Amino acid sequence: MLMWTLGIIFFLSGAAGLLFETLWLRGAGLAFGNSVWASSITLAAYMGGLGLGNVLAGRFGKRVLQPVRAYALIELLIAASGVLLVPLLPALAALLAPLPALAHDGAWFATPLHLALVFALLMIPTTAMGATLPLLVKALCQANTGFGRALGHLYGFNTLGALAGALAGELFLIEHLGLLGTGIGAALL
């Protein structure tokens, strides 16, 4: 029963994760006015955060006595930071516009500054996302389901959720709920 319950929860988590990634990509595109920079930095932060979160969970996860509770707290962090980034990313261009004027001939650092800031902001929820799978695998292993079975079950459900989230966002949610409404929906998932 625990395996199926956590599988469904991780399906919803996967859907939320890809909804957020889609929204962040759009927000970064508005911030940069360039889809190449936006997609590059969003994908780099997403994959980098997943990797870093996995490493951190692997390193410190042994100390976690209640992995499902830790998972729930991390999901709250993902929801809060994820939805806050939806309106913040497009606003960064206006917020950072005065900075190059403060330095003599300082326009050269505007794009690297944008990239670094967007990357750092995206690393918060994506690193948290990366820590979720190891925590749930630990919870299922504590229930004697076996590592391989637990990992395959959770990863499969999460991947199906990611597919559902990406499709729902692009085909329906963004059009009918807007960017912020879709972000709130992702946070609720």
Side-chain angles (χ1 to χ4, degrees):
M1 183 66 175
L2 178 65
M3 184 176 279
W4 284 101
T5 302
L6 292 180
I8 291 167
I9 289 169
F10 217 45
F11 174 91
L12 297 173
S13 176
L18 259 287
L19 279 171
F20 276 137
E21 184 182 10
T22 301
L23 295 169
W24 299 333
L25 177 62
R26 287 177 181 238
L30 293 171
F32 292 115
N34 180 325
S35 62
V36 173
W37 287 111
S39 60
S40 298
I41 202 65
T42 304
L43 183 60
Y46 198 83
M47 298 308 289
L50 291 179
L52 179 61
N54 238 284
V55 167
L56 292 173
R59 178 140 168 81
F60 300 108
K62 297 174 188 115
R63 300 178 190 170
V64 176
L65 300 177
Q66 297 178 342
V68 175
R69 182 180 300 243
Y71 168 81
L73 292 172
I74 288 172
E75 284 290 352
L76 289 174
L77 172 65
I78 294 166
S81 60
V83 77
L84 287 173
L85 286 172
V86 173
L88 180 62
L89 290 176
L92 282 179
L95 293 173
L96 298 177
L99 289 180
L102 297 176
H104 175 64
D105 196 29
W108 62 270
F109 74 86
T111 298
L113 180 64
H114 275 119
L115 288 171
L117 186 57
V118 169
F119 184 83
L121 290 170
L122 288 174
M123 286 297 287
I124 297 166
T126 59
T127 300
M129 287 176 183
T132 58
L133 179 62
L135 287 171
L136 287 188
V137 168
K138 180 178 181 174
L140 287 178
C141 287
Q142 286 177 341
N144 294 321
T145 59
F147 176 76
R149 187 168 181 223
L151 179 64
H153 179 82
L154 291 172
Y155 194 73
F157 268 91
N158 191 252
T159 302
L160 290 174
L163 173 66
L167 289 174
E170 289 297 331
L171 297 176
F172 178 76
L173 295 174
I174 294 172
E175 180 182 341
H176 295 287
L177 301 177
L179 296 177
L180 186 56
T182 302
I184 292 169
L188 292 173
L189 289 175

